[in-house]
Amino acid sequence: MSKLKPIDRSSFEPPYSQVARGMRERIVDGQYRAGDRLPSEAELCALYDVSRMTVRRAVALLVQDGVVFTENGRGTFVRAPELGAATFDLGSLRRLVDDAATTVKISEARIVPPSPRVRRKLAVDAESHVVAIRRVLSSAGEPVFYHTEYLVFDPRRPLVEAEYGVTALRDLLANAGKSGFKYGRLQLHASTLTETEASYLGEEPGMSAWVIEHLFFDFEDRPVSWGRFIGRSDRLDFSTTVGVPDVGKGAGE
Amino acid sequence: MSKLKPIDRSSFEPPYSQVARGMRERIVDGQYRAGDRLPSEAELCALYDVSRMTVRRAVALLVQDGVVFTENGRGTFVRAPELGAATFDLGSLRRLVDDAATTVKISEARIVPPSPRVRRKLAVDAESHVVAIRRVLSSAGEPVFYHTEYLVFDPRRPLVEAEYGVTALRDLLANAGKSGFKYGRLQLHASTLTETEASYLGEEPGMSAWVIEHLFFDFEDRPVSWGRFIGRSDRLDFSTTVGVPDVGKGAGE
DNA sequence: ATTCTGTACCTGTCTAGACAGGTATGTCGG
DNA sequence: CCGACATACCTGTCTAGACAGGTACAGAAT
């Protein structure tokens, strides 16, 4: 066990990241394999000539990435890639909305009495009203997603037209900074296009599609917005990796 | 700004977790809202009477959960819930396989010449052979998932029958400890059941379904296993939350 | 009025050491 | 043979302090 890769103190990359990258490389190389125990923190301190907190931070990075796991009193071990540990994110949906070539057209925005389903979702009675918004998201002129949203209508605070537009959607998806929501629940479904949805998207009914259902709550835990994104299954990319595919990504904070 | 909740030094919950929970509660209460700046680390040190590293660990927990974000030189701010930041995991698939009521039946396991698609996925030529495995996962007697897998056949190392069975699948999904894979790529698709798939699952063709496609690589970055899980869309739960739904979950390590 | 600069404040990073508690293992006494 | 105990090693947690570098703002120089 020798000091194979000493820390470059003049580098812009801080030591904890260099240590993490070094260990990651050894795992990728196969020097340490699934189940193997890594050198103890004290040993790594000596190997890289850094303090223990720095080593622990490096290890914490690898733990966070699912590359290794620690057991109290035993050591740090390389984790085997697990299919069940995979996570998928909505990155491609976010990219779609952030893309300049994406346009949002509001096909409908009016105050309606709530349907039974909307009543149940938004926990409102039949006498109240909701704002129904339907949008079509297009990328490069081609319709990609059909979005329906129902907002609890508050007659005391009439909303500005702009709030239903593109900005509101962008705030919902990307960083809002200021949104009236406390939290939201999301569900991902596999479904098929109805005739209405297919007509909006220029596809054929029965085609397999994604449904992203979202329900947002205000600070009093009352539901205020319920809606669904519906789009062709090939327009959203849910792909991910388990294990240690490459090293390049471990550097950024 | 007073010491509202002093740290309980006799509690089993370590101080860093108590601090994180305290700040989380204040955010949930609406005391701090999206965009607001939290007290600086030095202020939190004084408020809770702990060292700065303890405060930083607490903040790091909240950052990891997406509750707050930090900006160098400016401070720590409450993050607004973003739909685009949502992540989905395969927890329900893992639970399904871990469940004692789940059975795995191998409907086929034999050495076959690879189809063009399998040849492409596994990067093998037409002269080589692959092991084709088809499994049906049932929960409480009811078929839930249909799994097809193709393994590169290595004649030098004939595999044990058991490796194709339930154990191999469990290792693939839950913690394996020792697997021959270095990493894997996963893709989630929305699709519809073909006639073959529907017959295995006791459903009707055309029904919307999940497809989880997986491709695993060995330590020489060569693909060794390609396969797909196919199942009814209502048998996998892809639900998640954005923002701060509740406080109870912040305690565990 | 504009630009530059110092300063206060903030997060980011690192150190050296300390104690607690879990884990594995060997030894000793029964 | 076997259980109890001591011990070495490991990760988990915390402290007090230090320096670096980014940010914002007020005041000085132009």
Side-chain angles (χ1 to χ4, degrees):
Chain A
M1 198 132 60
S2 57
K3 295 192 188 184
L4 278 185
K5 279 195 143 191
I7 297 301
D8 180 5
R9 293 282 172 179
S10 66
S11 168
F12 291 118
E13 185 182 8
Y16 76 87
S17 181
Q18 293 186 45
V19 173
R21 196 163 44 81
M23 295 199 284
R24 206 189 187 96
E25 279 168 3
R26 294 200 189 188
I27 293 170
V28 171
D29 289 348
Q31 193 165 340
Y32 299 113
R33 299 212 173 186
D36 290 355
R37 214 203 76 185
L38 259 53
S40 76
E41 294 172 356
E43 287 169 337
L44 289 171
C45 288
L47 279 170
Y48 288 105
D49 197 29
V50 293
S51 80
R52 187 161 159 239
M53 291 302 276
T54 303
V55 165
R56 279 186 64 76
R57 179 156 185 191
V59 172
L61 273 183
L62 300 182
V63 169
Q64 201 175 333
D65 288 355
V67 176
V68 303
F69 63 94
T70 60
E71 282 192 20
N72 192 343
R74 302 221 314 129
T76 306
F77 304 87
V78 179
R79 186 183 285 280
E82 299 172 26
L83 199 145
T87 60
F88 302 92
D89 62 46
L90 289 172
S92 68
L93 178 60
R94 180 192 266 169
R95 277 190 297 274
L96 181 71
V97 176
D98 281 343
D99 188 3
T102 302
T103 58
V104 179
K105 198 181 125 223
I106 297 179
S107 63
E108 184 186 335
R110 56 199 181 93
I111 297 168
V112 295
S115 70
R117 183 164 71 168
V118 172
R119 279 216 305 274
R120 201 174 61 246
K121 295 284 185 184
L122 292 180
V124 294
D125 53 37
E127 279 68 41
S128 60
H129 287 81
V130 297
V131 181
I133 306 168
R134 296 177 198 281
R135 301 179 173 96
V136 176
L137 283 75
S138 300
S139 176
E142 194 182 347
V144 176
F145 268 91
Y146 178 57
H147 184 218
T148 63
E149 186 182 8
Y150 298 91
L151 290 158
V152 174
F153 176 64
D154 187 351
R156 297 166 306 183
R157 183 170 48 96
L159 291 174
V160 192
E161 169 91 9
E163 289 198 45
Y164 305 139
V166 185
T167 312
L169 191 63
R170 204 180 301 275
D171 282 358
L172 202 67
L173 280 156
N175 44 338
K178 282 282 181 190
S179 79
F181 305 129
K182 178 174 160 192
Y183 68 98
R185 273 195 229 288
L186 275 78
Q187 272 189 309
L188 188 64
H189 301 287
S191 183
T192 50
L193 293 179
T194 66
E195 286 192 20
T196 310
E197 293 154 5
S199 71
Y200 272 105
L201 294 173
E203 300 292 339
E204 288 178 13
M207 191 179 190
S208 56
W210 293 118
V211 176
I212 302 168
E213 186 177 331
H214 55 87
L215 179 61
F216 280 89
F217 297 83
D218 65 9
F219 283 90
E220 281 77 36
D221 286 355
R222 286 179 309 220
V224 284
S225 162
W226 175 73
R228 294 152 52 106
F229 286 87
I230 298 160
R232 269 172 52 179
S233 59
D234 55 348
R235 299 312 292 257
L236 264 193
D237 177 34
F238 284 108
S239 57
T240 185
T241 58
V242 289
V244 197
D246 50 14
V247 182
K249 54 155 285 194
E253 183 193 344
Chain B
M1 196 133 61
S2 59
K3 295 192 188 185
L4 279 185
K5 278 195 140 191
I7 296 300
D8 180 5
R9 293 283 172 178
S10 66
S11 167
F12 291 118
E13 185 182 8
Y16 75 88
S17 181
Q18 292 186 44
V19 173
R21 194 162 45 81
M23 295 199 283
R24 205 188 188 98
E25 279 167 4
R26 293 200 188 186
I27 294 170
V28 171
D29 288 348
Q31 193 165 338
Y32 299 113
R33 299 212 174 186
D36 290 354
R37 215 203 75 184
L38 260 54
S40 76
E41 295 173 355
E43 287 169 337
L44 289 171
C45 289
L47 279 171
Y48 288 106
D49 196 31
V50 293
S51 78
R52 183 156 163 245
M53 289 304 275
T54 303
V55 165
R56 279 186 64 76
R57 179 156 185 188
V59 172
L61 274 182
L62 300 183
V63 169
Q64 199 176 334
D65 287 355
V67 177
V68 302
F69 63 94
T70 60
E71 282 192 20
N72 193 343
R74 302 220 314 130
T76 306
F77 305 87
V78 179
R79 185 183 285 278
E82 299 172 26
L83 199 145
T87 60
F88 302 92
D89 63 45
L90 288 171
S92 68
L93 178 60
R94 181 192 263 169
R95 277 190 297 276
L96 181 72
V97 176
D98 282 343
D99 187 5
T102 302
T103 57
V104 179
K105 198 181 126 224
I106 296 180
S107 62
E108 183 186 334
R110 56 197 180 92
I111 297 168
V112 296
S115 70
R117 182 165 71 168
V118 171
R119 277 214 306 273
R120 203 174 58 246
K121 295 283 186 185
L122 292 180
V124 295
D125 53 36
E127 278 69 41
S128 59
H129 287 80
V130 297
V131 181
I133 307 169
R134 298 176 196 281
R135 302 178 172 96
V136 176
L137 283 74
S138 300
S139 175
E142 194 182 348
V144 175
F145 266 91
Y146 177 57
H147 183 219
T148 62
E149 186 183 8
Y150 298 92
L151 290 157
V152 174
F153 177 63
D154 186 350
R156 296 166 306 183
R157 184 169 46 96
L159 292 174
V160 192
E161 171 88 11
E163 287 196 47
Y164 304 139
V166 185
T167 313
L169 190 63
R170 204 179 302 275
D171 283 357
L172 201 66
L173 279 157
N175 44 338
K178 281 284 182 189
S179 79
F181 304 129
K182 177 175 160 189
Y183 68 98
R185 274 195 229 287
L186 275 77
Q187 272 190 309
L188 188 64
H189 301 287
S191 183
T192 51
L193 294 179
T194 65
E195 286 193 19
T196 309
E197 292 155 6
S199 71
Y200 272 106
L201 294 173
E203 301 292 339
E204 287 177 13
M207 188 177 191
S208 58
W210 294 117
V211 175
I212 302 169
E213 185 177 332
H214 56 86
L215 180 60
F216 281 89
F217 297 82
D218 65 9
F219 283 89
E220 281 78 36
D221 287 353
R222 286 179 307 220
V224 285
S225 162
W226 176 75
R228 292 152 50 106
F229 286 87
I230 298 159
R232 272 172 49 177
S233 60
D234 55 348
R235 300 311 293 258
L236 262 194
D237 176 35
F238 284 108
S239 59
T240 186
T241 58
V242 289
V244 198
D246 49 14
V247 182
K249 54 153 286 194
E253 186 195 342

